[in-house]
Amino acid sequence: MQERIYFADFAKTYGRNYRSIMHYPDVIRLKKRGISIISVEKMFKGIIPKSTLYFWYNEKRIPVQFSSFANSKKSFSGKEIGKMGELIGSILGDGGIISKGHVHYCNTEEFLINRFKANMLELFPEEVPCESKDKNAMHLIYSPRIGRVLWCLFGRFSCGKDTKIITDKINSMPLDWKIEVVRALYDDEGSAVKLKKGGYVSFKQKSQSITQFVQTVLDECKIRFITTEYKGMYMVRICSYADMKRFGEIINFSEGYRKKAKLSVILESYTFHRLCNNTEK
């Protein structure tokens, strides 16, 4: 199903102070139809300031918000929406969207940085990131146009520090799409922990909303887990061999990522111990 972004929705991402901006296309449309400026003023009295309307009507000024919208990607195919699960998961993980709409992502893992850049390039091919490096961490920052488009598509799931939530739109997406989100979250915030005998899969998160989302997806996939809370952080652990195996079959970490290889080693260790036990008998 194709999704299209309209200027009225894009303008709303700027907040209440910018509600008049959404009428800019209407003013231009009325002018092209030959409606006089006096008539247009009456139509938008109390909505658009007179001086602003004068500049718009006479095409002496184009709102910055409209210029941003004009340069944004506004149409997305069903296939592109389907591919956004991984991107949204990365933003909810080690990324974010600041209040002005800039999308950022920071990680020490080259694999995850390259994947984020590849997803952005595929979905927003015209946008180029600003890259910087601090010690071992690579930091990517993208145009606020992308953040505002993502808000239009999925709601304000991130809009500043400690604001990440799972929106109704994200919750309403198909299970396969939500699994992509959870996989990306596990890549960023999860780990496969090897013990002397066996191990477990862990997910650590301070957002209750994101933790509950992960729990719900695990439930829907029939993967059992235990959750503990310590110093404001939630820890979701998958402990049994059967559940880790099911996690590996349905969700897992991303293909080619070191954490996926580690989970395979943990699962193989169970098989090894069982073979040893059977041999001893």
Side-chain angles (χ1 to χ4, degrees):
M1 182 179 177
Q2 191 170 10
E3 293 274 359
R4 183 164 182 80
I5 309 297
Y6 295 94
F7 181 61
D9 295 319
F10 191 84
K12 287 176 184 176
T13 67
Y14 287 88
R16 291 180 181 177
N17 294 335
Y18 294 90
R19 289 297 171 90
S20 64
I21 299 294
M22 70 179 67
H23 296 294
Y24 170 76
D26 301 324
V27 172
I28 301 303
R29 201 158 34 242
L30 289 168
K31 180 189 175 180
K32 288 180 178 178
R33 285 171 51 190
I35 308 298
S36 70
I37 189 170
I38 295 174
S39 298
V40 175
E41 280 179 3
K42 289 178 181 178
M43 292 179 193
F44 294 103
K45 186 177 180 181
I47 299 173
I48 304 173
K50 267 190 176 184
S51 59
T52 300
L53 191 140
Y54 170 82
F55 283 115
W56 290 358
Y57 188 89
N58 292 290
E59 299 182 44
K60 293 180 179 291
R61 185 184 298 163
I62 299 174
V64 173
Q65 297 84 355
F66 188 80
S67 295
S68 180
F69 172 74
N71 291 315
S72 298
K73 184 173 178 179
K74 296 174 277 293
S75 184
F76 298 87
S77 66
K79 186 177 180 182
E80 287 175 318
I81 295 295
K83 288 183 177 180
M84 283 189 180
E86 188 171 76
L87 178 64
I88 299 301
S90 296
I91 293 173
L92 287 169
D94 286 333
I97 304 176
I98 68 172
S99 59
K100 292 186 178 180
H102 294 85
V103 177
H104 63 90
Y105 185 74
C106 183
N107 212 296
T108 57
E109 299 271 2
E110 185 178 2
F111 175 91
L112 298 177
I113 287 290
N114 289 338
R115 186 186 67 188
F116 192 86
K117 289 167 70 174
N119 284 335
M120 279 293 205
L121 182 62
E122 184 174 3
L123 293 165
F124 301 94
E126 303 300 319
E127 304 287 1
V128 178
C130 174
E131 300 184 25
S132 61
K133 195 168 185 178
D134 182 17
K135 296 181 181 178
N136 294 324
M138 178 66 76
H139 197 189
L140 307 173
I141 301 177
Y142 286 84
S143 163
R145 291 187 291 268
I146 298 178
R148 295 187 186 281
V149 165
L150 292 176
W151 286 340
C152 289
L153 291 172
F154 301 106
R156 286 180 175 264
F157 60 93
S158 174
C159 55
K161 187 179 179 181
D162 297 329
T163 61
K164 295 177 185 177
I165 60 168
I166 301 300
T167 60
D168 290 341
K169 178 62 177 179
I170 291 174
N171 266 325
S172 70
M173 295 298 284
L175 178 59
D176 287 349
W177 191 91
K178 290 189 284 189
I179 284 173
E180 294 292 327
V181 175
V182 170
R183 181 180 297 118
L185 280 167
Y186 266 92
D187 285 342
D188 279 355
E189 313 282 6
S191 58
V193 182
K194 179 78 170 69
L195 301 175
K196 189 174 181 180
K197 288 186 179 182
Y200 60 91
V201 175
S202 177
F203 177 76
K204 194 176 183 180
Q205 175 63 234
K206 63 180 177 181
S207 166
Q208 185 179 31
S209 176
I210 294 174
T211 302
Q212 289 174 342
F213 174 76
V214 170
Q215 291 170 324
T216 299
V217 173
L218 291 175
D219 275 333
E220 289 183 37
C221 294
K222 294 180 171 50
I223 298 169
R224 294 173 299 177
F225 57 87
I226 58 173
T227 305
T228 55
E229 186 179 355
Y230 181 68
K231 291 186 177 180
M233 298 292 288
Y234 298 93
M235 184 81 77
V236 180
R237 288 189 181 93
I238 302 168
C239 300
S240 76
Y241 169 79
D243 290 303
M244 281 192 290
K245 185 172 183 292
R246 189 164 179 81
F247 172 85
E249 292 168 346
I250 299 174
I251 300 174
N252 214 325
F253 301 95
S254 288
E255 187 65 41
Y257 190 31
R258 62 177 179 80
K259 292 180 183 178
K260 181 173 183 178
K262 193 170 184 181
L263 177 58
S264 295
V265 170
I266 293 171
L267 293 173
E268 286 169 7
S269 73
Y270 280 87
T271 306
F272 175 77
H273 286 304
R274 284 175 181 174
L275 285 172
C276 289
N277 289 336
N278 289 336
T279 302
E280 290 171 3
K281 289 177 182 179

